[in-house]
Amino acid sequence: MARNRPASGQVRIIAGQWRSRRLPIHDLEGLRPTTDRVRETLFNWLASDLPGARVLDCFGGSGALCFEALSRYAKYAKVFELQASAAKQLKQNLATLKCDCADVVQGDTLAQLKTPPTEGFDIIFIDPPFRKGLAQACIDGLIAQCWLNDDALVYVETESEHPPLKLPSNWIPLKEKKAGQVTFRLFQVEKPEENQ
């Protein structure tokens, strides 16, 4: 049925302290783990920024992005996941890894983003289910409630036919690539008053 997904229902951590570990994932509708190829490119982009970073994974899904970030020594990760069974699996996988520097919040991402965080984030992953208009709404929520630290890096993965994102002028595009039907981008968010 899902030919591009491992038949065993697993996600593999590419590098870092948990390199080559395989973690079980649920085969749920809309769950579309970021491919190894795309993840490898993304984490090459982020390599020097991950150690010690606070990471927010807005659509946890399989956990491929947050686990990779934590494996590469991100300090902390918060993960939002709507589906209860997927959130439960994320928590079980964190326990398997003996990782106590991450929190999984089961619930609607856009609702979670309506409340300001107690502390902002350095790296944000936005990889929502496709064709639901969630990427733009998520970005708007992050900006409105100040979830982003100064110079935060924001990764956005969308279907390639997604309309152009409406972004403030201080969101500086750093990287963009296309892989199959997916377009993925990395932005750096500058402090508005530092715009030159």
Side-chain angles (χ1 to χ4, degrees):
M1 186 171 88
R3 285 170 302 195
N4 296 332
R5 195 177 300 158
S8 53
Q10 294 180 329
V11 63
R12 181 179 69 90
I13 298 175
I14 297 169
Q17 60 183 321
W18 304 317
R19 181 179 180 172
S20 299
R21 289 289 294 272
R22 292 179 184 274
L23 300 167
I25 59 173
H26 279 293
D27 188 6
L28 298 170
E29 185 181 354
L31 190 64
R32 182 190 40 77
T34 299
T35 65
D36 283 9
R37 184 171 134 219
V38 170
R39 267 191 298 144
E40 195 153 4
T41 301
L42 165 62
F43 284 94
N44 285 340
W45 293 348
L46 294 175
S48 61
D49 298 287
L50 276 166
R54 285 174 52 80
V55 173
L56 176 65
D57 190 346
C58 293
F59 300 91
S62 69
L65 298 179
C66 71
F67 292 135
E68 196 73 48
L70 289 164
S71 182
R72 298 174 192 232
Y73 304 101
K75 179 171 75 174
Y76 171 77
K78 182 181 279 288
V79 185
F80 296 144
E81 173 51 45
L82 178 62
Q83 299 186 74
S85 56
K88 183 180 177 185
Q89 185 68 67
L90 289 169
K91 291 176 183 177
Q92 288 173 349
N93 287 343
L94 286 168
T96 297
L97 295 169
K98 297 181 172 60
C99 176
D100 60 1
C101 56
D103 291 310
V104 177
V105 180
Q106 194 258 312
D108 179 77
T109 297
L110 302 183
Q112 299 297 328
L113 292 178
K114 288 179 179 173
T115 305
T118 52
E119 192 177 343
F121 290 87
D122 307 303
I123 296 174
I124 294 89
F125 298 125
I126 303 173
D127 178 18
F130 282 178
R131 300 175 184 88
K132 295 181 184 290
L134 292 169
Q136 185 68 57
C138 182
I139 288 167
D140 294 344
L142 289 165
I143 295 168
Q145 296 296 340
C146 303
W147 283 79
L148 310 171
N149 285 339
D150 294 343
D151 298 319
L153 293 165
V154 183
Y155 171 76
V156 184
E157 183 176 323
T158 62
E159 64 275 22
S160 291
E161 74 272 17
H162 192 283
L165 295 166
K166 299 184 182 76
L167 301 172
S169 60
N170 65 316
W171 281 51
I172 310 303
L174 298 181
K175 306 275 188 181
E176 178 171 337
K177 284 194 97 170
K178 186 174 175 181
Q181 299 178 357
V182 172
T183 298
F184 55 108
R185 309 170 185 86
L186 187 67
F187 300 92
Q188 183 148 42
V189 182
E190 294 184 345
K191 288 176 70 174
E193 61 267 32
E194 291 177 358
N195 255 4
Q196 295 176 355

